[in-house]
Amino acid sequence: METNEKKKLALNVVSSKEHKGFGAGALDLSNLSSVIIDGDEAYIDLGAIHAKSKVERGVKFSMNKDDVPNGRKCWIVWVYVGRTEEGPFYSGATACEMLVDSEARRGWKILADHVNKMDYALKGRIILDGLSETEKAALRNVLIGHNAEWWERSGEALKQGLA
């Protein structure tokens, strides 16, 4: 009997280690993270990658906004960490809107938009349309607070988008 087990795929989100070996060259989610913006609060919630963030858990989502008349606006911001010779930096950031009514356990989001925006973040795009000044400030503070050096190395498009 052989003791060789298949390697498990793991998501090491917002990590600083390089990925080599099994799965290398495939779509790499190990440097993708998700930030939830709920009102004026923003926080990293890795569960969003599998639609299981704190705000999404236990909520049945619809593609019809009318199903969520009392929903509060929340955002998932996909953040991708790229790497240059100088080191890691925030290379992609895309914001996806959703409505959540926690009491009624109902929500609205367009899954295709979330998937497309995740892809755009992986490709280094900055799409932060729709975020209010307060939401932008909350996101900026989370990114700087998580790693100020990564923020400093980030491109002007991100810094201007969150200015």
Side-chain angles (χ1 to χ4, degrees):
M1 182 155 111
E2 290 185 28
T3 57
N4 292 344
E5 294 182 29
K6 285 187 177 181
K7 289 186 180 183
K8 290 185 179 178
L9 293 176
L11 296 177
N12 299 317
V13 181
V14 188
S15 72
S16 60
K17 63 183 196 179
E18 271 188 65
H19 178 70
K20 295 180 181 173
F22 179 74
L27 184 61
D28 184 9
L29 298 179
S30 63
N31 293 329
L32 180 74
S33 186
S34 46
V35 175
I36 301 294
I37 303 174
D38 188 356
D40 57 0
E41 178 187 18
Y43 54 90
I44 295 172
D45 189 332
L46 306 181
I49 291 173
H50 300 287
K52 294 182 188 221
S53 66
K54 185 173 100 176
V55 297
E56 293 172 293
R57 265 181 263 157
V59 173
K60 181 176 173 150
F61 283 93
S62 165
M63 289 178 47
N64 183 355
K65 271 188 175 182
D66 295 336
D67 292 344
V68 194
N70 300 316
R72 71 184 187 281
K73 188 185 292 189
C74 297
W75 295 86
I76 295 176
V77 181
W78 303 111
V79 179
Y80 187 71
V81 178
R83 182 177 288 277
T84 63
E85 288 183 14
E86 291 81 39
F89 68 104
Y90 300 118
S91 68
T94 56
C96 307
E97 183 182 357
M98 60 183 172
L99 297 176
V100 177
D101 184 342
S102 300
E103 221 172 90
R105 300 177 68 144
R106 294 263 179 226
W108 166 84
K109 68 179 175 181
I110 305 296
L111 185 59
D113 181 53
H114 286 241
V115 171
N116 287 335
K117 296 264 180 77
M118 181 190 292
D119 181 56
Y120 295 155
L122 289 168
K123 292 176 178 170
R125 293 181 61 185
I126 308 297
I127 304 171
L128 302 169
D129 305 338
L131 293 177
S132 70
E133 295 305 312
T134 302
E135 292 161 339
K136 287 179 183 180
L139 177 58
R140 183 177 57 247
N141 291 339
V142 164
L143 296 177
I144 293 170
H146 181 73
N147 195 310
E149 290 179 13
W150 294 2
W151 173 260
E152 287 304 315
R153 286 191 284 267
S154 295
E156 285 305 309
L158 177 64
K159 293 175 182 175
Q160 291 298 319
L162 295 177

